[in-house]
Every structure is written in C-alpha cells, then in structure tokens.
Amino acid sequence: MKAKRLFFKECNLAGRRYYDADLVWNELSVGTPVRLEREADNRYDENAVAVMYDRVLSNPEEGSCQSEEFFLGYIPARENEVIAQFMDMGWEECFSCTISRIDPSEHYENQIRLTIRINRKEQ
C-alpha cells in the first residue's frame, strides 16, 4: 500500500505571540490541522509562508457552515524556501500541516511545533 502522505519536516511556529494564536489557544492541540498560505508580498521575507487556523462554525438549525480564519504565525525563514518555491509553482495543495506539539510553558517561539507532510497527488 502506498502512503497517502510523506513526512517532509518539523519546525516551530515563528511569530506566535504577534498574531491570533491567543484568540484560539484553547482550540489548538496536537493533531489540529492548520493551513499553509504563501505570502509572496511580505516585505520582510520573500519566501514567507503563513500558518492559518480555520475555525468551522456550524449552524445545524439552518444547515449551514461558515469558517473563520486565524493567522497563527509563520514557517520560520530558515525553513520556508522550498515550501515557498513549491507554492509559487502552483503546488499549494501538496502540503498538509498539523500541530505536533503545544507547550505553554515554553518560550513563545517554541510553544507550537508543526509537522509538514507532502500529500500524494490524486489521479
């Protein structure tokens, strides 16, 4: 059987204290999926890749779902070049990312660890 996802790398979430992580801290845990989003116009890092958390809000009475987007931080600059290059080539969907460690007792830059995997291309 062929793997559906292949391990690519692990890294800490950069900039965690400057963005929205505190707003959703109680919703984040090991295994929480997060989304990578290319930020090509970032003036500080030409390879910037943002890490986003999507909160899904469902209303069973109306039979509808909405999502709310939270900006958690970035893939660190020393870790993002290959990911940014793939995303720039149109392979945004090839990566999946989850929280692999969360520890509020650590320094802000070490509180959230991410695991990034490459998804198998569906035929």
PDB file of all heavy atoms in Angstrom, residues 4 7 54 77 79 89 96 113 123:
ATOM      1  N   LYS A   4      -0.332   7.835   1.838  1.00  0.00           N
ATOM      2  CA  LYS A   4      -1.116   8.983   1.378  1.00  0.00           C
ATOM      3  C   LYS A   4      -0.381  10.294   1.625  1.00  0.00           C
ATOM      4  O   LYS A   4      -0.610  11.281   0.936  1.00  0.00           O
ATOM      5  CB  LYS A   4      -2.474   9.022   2.088  1.00  0.00           C
ATOM      6  CG  LYS A   4      -3.387   7.894   1.667  1.00  0.00           C
ATOM      7  CD  LYS A   4      -4.743   8.031   2.317  1.00  0.00           C
ATOM      8  CE  LYS A   4      -5.636   6.899   1.851  1.00  0.00           C
ATOM      9  NZ  LYS A   4      -6.983   7.024   2.351  1.00  0.00           N
ATOM     10  N   PHE A   7       6.274  12.324   5.282  1.00  0.00           N
ATOM     11  CA  PHE A   7       6.871  13.319   6.170  1.00  0.00           C
ATOM     12  C   PHE A   7       7.825  14.201   5.380  1.00  0.00           C
ATOM     13  O   PHE A   7       8.649  13.730   4.611  1.00  0.00           O
ATOM     14  CB  PHE A   7       7.619  12.627   7.317  1.00  0.00           C
ATOM     15  CG  PHE A   7       8.340  13.596   8.213  1.00  0.00           C
ATOM     16  CD1 PHE A   7       7.656  14.252   9.226  1.00  0.00           C
ATOM     17  CD2 PHE A   7       9.680  13.864   8.030  1.00  0.00           C
ATOM     18  CE1 PHE A   7       8.315  15.156  10.053  1.00  0.00           C
ATOM     19  CE2 PHE A   7      10.345  14.766   8.840  1.00  0.00           C
ATOM     20  CZ  PHE A   7       9.661  15.406   9.857  1.00  0.00           C
ATOM     21  N   ASP A  54      -8.309  27.494  10.610  1.00  0.00           N
ATOM     22  CA  ASP A  54      -9.687  27.752  10.211  1.00  0.00           C
ATOM     23  C   ASP A  54     -10.644  27.156  11.235  1.00  0.00           C
ATOM     24  O   ASP A  54     -10.680  25.943  11.422  1.00  0.00           O
ATOM     25  CB  ASP A  54      -9.975  27.149   8.826  1.00  0.00           C
ATOM     26  CG  ASP A  54      -9.155  27.811   7.738  1.00  0.00           C
ATOM     27  OD1 ASP A  54      -8.997  29.038   7.785  1.00  0.00           O
ATOM     28  OD2 ASP A  54      -8.660  27.095   6.847  1.00  0.00           O
ATOM     29  N   ALA A  77      11.866  31.547   8.687  1.00  0.00           N
ATOM     30  CA  ALA A  77      12.569  31.935   7.458  1.00  0.00           C
ATOM     31  C   ALA A  77      13.637  30.912   7.063  1.00  0.00           C
ATOM     32  O   ALA A  77      13.831  30.654   5.879  1.00  0.00           O
ATOM     33  CB  ALA A  77      13.189  33.318   7.633  1.00  0.00           C
ATOM     34  N   GLU A  79      13.429  27.831   7.285  1.00  0.00           N
ATOM     35  CA  GLU A  79      12.774  26.570   6.939  1.00  0.00           C
ATOM     36  C   GLU A  79      11.813  26.688   5.752  1.00  0.00           C
ATOM     37  O   GLU A  79      11.230  25.695   5.335  1.00  0.00           O
ATOM     38  CB  GLU A  79      11.950  26.076   8.136  1.00  0.00           C
ATOM     39  CG  GLU A  79      12.703  25.947   9.425  1.00  0.00           C
ATOM     40  CD  GLU A  79      13.415  24.627   9.563  1.00  0.00           C
ATOM     41  OE1 GLU A  79      13.182  23.723   8.736  1.00  0.00           O
ATOM     42  OE2 GLU A  79      14.219  24.505  10.500  1.00  0.00           O
ATOM     43  N   MET A  89       5.010  27.538  -7.639  1.00  0.00           N
ATOM     44  CA  MET A  89       4.854  26.759  -8.866  1.00  0.00           C
ATOM     45  C   MET A  89       3.449  26.154  -8.982  1.00  0.00           C
ATOM     46  O   MET A  89       3.181  25.369  -9.885  1.00  0.00           O
ATOM     47  CB  MET A  89       5.907  25.658  -8.914  1.00  0.00           C
ATOM     48  CG  MET A  89       7.313  26.203  -9.095  1.00  0.00           C
ATOM     49  SD  MET A  89       8.580  24.920  -9.096  1.00  0.00           S
ATOM     50  CE  MET A  89       8.105  23.968 -10.518  1.00  0.00           C
ATOM     51  N   SER A  96       0.371  19.336   3.676  1.00  0.00           N
ATOM     52  CA  SER A  96      -0.586  19.379   4.783  1.00  0.00           C
ATOM     53  C   SER A  96       0.229  19.615   6.046  1.00  0.00           C
ATOM     54  O   SER A  96       1.391  19.217   6.140  1.00  0.00           O
ATOM     55  CB  SER A  96      -1.410  18.089   4.880  1.00  0.00           C
ATOM     56  OG  SER A  96      -0.576  16.978   5.082  1.00  0.00           O
ATOM     57  N   ARG A 113       4.791  23.499  17.796  1.00  0.00           N
ATOM     58  CA  ARG A 113       5.629  22.799  16.812  1.00  0.00           C
ATOM     59  C   ARG A 113       4.707  22.238  15.736  1.00  0.00           C
ATOM     60  O   ARG A 113       3.611  21.756  16.026  1.00  0.00           O
ATOM     61  CB  ARG A 113       6.415  21.683  17.475  1.00  0.00           C
ATOM     62  CG  ARG A 113       7.415  21.023  16.561  1.00  0.00           C
ATOM     63  CD  ARG A 113       8.717  20.786  17.291  1.00  0.00           C
ATOM     64  NE  ARG A 113       9.703  20.149  16.441  1.00  0.00           N
ATOM     65  CZ  ARG A 113      10.647  20.802  15.799  1.00  0.00           C
ATOM     66  NH1 ARG A 113      10.739  22.115  15.900  1.00  0.00           N
ATOM     67  NH2 ARG A 113      11.519  20.169  15.053  1.00  0.00           N
ATOM     68  N   GLN A 123      -5.010  10.805  -8.593  1.00  0.00           N
ATOM     69  CA  GLN A 123      -5.074  10.637 -10.055  1.00  0.00           C
ATOM     70  C   GLN A 123      -6.496  10.579 -10.540  1.00  0.00           C
ATOM     71  O   GLN A 123      -7.394  10.280  -9.900  1.00  0.00           O
ATOM     72  CB  GLN A 123      -4.337   9.381 -10.469  1.00  0.00           C
ATOM     73  CG  GLN A 123      -2.873   9.475 -10.109  1.00  0.00           C
ATOM     74  CD  GLN A 123      -2.099   8.243 -10.537  1.00  0.00           C
ATOM     75  OE1 GLN A 123      -2.639   7.315 -11.106  1.00  0.00           O
ATOM     76  NE2 GLN A 123      -0.828   8.253 -10.253  1.00  0.00           N
TER      77      GLN A 123
END
